[in-house]
Amino acid sequence: MPSRKKPYFGILVFPGTNCEMDCYHAVKNLLKVDCKYIWHKETKDDDINAIIIPGGFSYGDYLRSGAVAKFSPVMSFVRDFAQRGGLVIGICNGFQILLEENILPGAMLRNNTLKFICKYVSLKVEDINNPFTSGYKAGEIIKMPIRHNEGNYYIDSIGLARLKENNQILLRYGDADGNINSDNNPNGSIENIAGICNEKRNVFGLMPHPEACCEKILGSDDGLKIFRSMIGSIL
Amino acid sequence: MLKVNVYVTLKKEILDAQGLVIKKAIKQIGYENVGEVRFGKFIQIEIDDNGKNEEEIKKEIDYLSDKLLANPNIENYKYEIVRN
């Protein structure tokens, strides 16, 4: 990782990724921060100090979402980058890849509704002591879109206890008043979990798409603070 | 050349939403006597055994299944080796 403090984002692109341009727009055009695409065949990059693994359908979601992408050459770079403390955010399919790669704990199951869900949801910010949600207020209710078929987060009871103990649950599905229960759980995700970080708090995976809600004209600009928080932690 | 049939299913403790829907559909067709239905994946792989013995081949299939074919966090797998 470069020692310089100027934020420089790398956005991974796999065959089938489709949210990379939205991420680029948010970081480069809205937040005026350097940014570039990194093709999945790359094995190193000395410029960047933050990685975005965007959403989409890497390798057509064949076998399991994210199961094939984890073998792309770029993933050994991502693993190493994360181990050295670099910031990594995995959005939707990016989250699924991080789970398949075991960089984050747990796994994704098909939505319990067995439907592809595409809608705005309310989320509760459960933790702000990390580089990704530090720009929000603790307990703040935000609005972001979800669009996925496999967002039903699962982790065994021991893993769940560990997530709670270390405050690794950063976002939960809820309603506009902050109630969190099965009525406002869109996909069956365990304890309404929408986003988690690793123990070192430098890797974040979330199913909602912050890059798709960075401007009011899109219905919400609540997503911008995720990227802004990351930039703030690099500076 | 031999064939390996790999079956991947969700672990028992995990709710199998697809299995439940299939069960419901079976009942709708009129088969009320249906019990639990589990949904899974079937993967058939041809392997050139290169004179390897059964144990060596099983070791390779276990490795492939743990690493790629199944996600050990949520799925179990079993397989059978079919020699032509």
Side-chain angles (χ1 to χ4, degrees), chain B residues 2 4 47-63 79 81 83:
Chain B
L2 49 82
V4 183
I47 293 181
D48 189 350
D49 60 355
N50 270 335
K52 284 178 187 154
N53 67 32
E54 191 97 350
E55 279 314 302
E56 287 169 316
I57 289 169
K58 279 186 176 170
K59 223 171 153 179
E60 286 179 0
I61 305 298
D62 281 331
Y63 177 77
Y79 56 85
I81 298 170
R83 290 186 185 272

Side-chain angles (χ1 to χ4, degrees), chain A residues 23-116:
Chain A
C23 293
Y24 190 95
H25 176 67
V27 174
K28 182 87 175 179
N29 300 337
L30 301 179
L31 294 170
K32 314 290 183 204
V33 159
D34 285 338
C35 188
K36 68 171 162 188
Y37 297 120
I38 299 177
W39 182 236
H40 73 116
K41 298 265 193 193
E42 300 296 328
T43 51
K44 69 184 281 239
D45 192 295
D46 294 327
D47 299 328
I48 58 162
N49 45 28
I51 291 177
I52 300 176
I53 313 180
F57 300 87
S58 58
Y59 296 92
D61 271 355
Y62 291 169
L63 191 61
R64 291 180 310 279
S65 310
V68 183
K70 72 174 169 181
F71 296 110
S72 277
V74 77
M75 286 310 292
S76 53
F77 166 65
V78 173
R79 208 178 309 119
D80 184 50
F81 184 87
Q83 262 165 14
R84 284 183 287 137
L87 292 188
V88 180
I89 181 171
I91 301 164
C92 197
N93 190 225
F95 186 11
Q96 293 163 338
I97 295 169
L98 290 172
L99 293 171
E100 279 286 339
E101 181 58 28
N102 281 321
I103 293 176
L104 289 174
M108 280 299 169
L109 300 167
R110 276 195 76 171
N111 299 340
N112 65 349
T113 57
L114 295 180
K115 283 181 185 143
F116 187 96

Side-chain angles (χ1 to χ4, degrees), chain A residues 200-222:
Chain A
K200 276 167 67 184
R201 312 185 90 70
N202 64 313
V203 181
F204 178 35
L206 75 168
M207 287 315 289
H209 286 267
E211 81 286 3
C213 54
C214 288
E215 290 164 284
K216 282 256 190 274
I217 195 170
L218 298 174
S220 166
D221 61 357
D222 287 347

Side-chain angles (χ1 to χ4, degrees), chain A residues 63-64 67 70-71 100 102 106-110 112 114 154, chain B residues 10 13-14 17-18 21 41 67-71 73-75:
Chain A
L63 191 61
R64 291 180 310 279
K70 72 174 169 181
F71 296 110
E100 279 286 339
N102 281 321
M108 280 299 169
L109 300 167
R110 276 195 76 171
N112 65 349
L114 295 180
Y154 173 82
Chain B
L10 285 174
E13 64 268 26
I14 291 175
Q18 293 181 91
V21 169
K41 294 168 192 162
K67 204 157 172 66
L68 172 68
L69 304 179
N71 180 335
N73 292 324
I74 47 171
E75 293 169 326

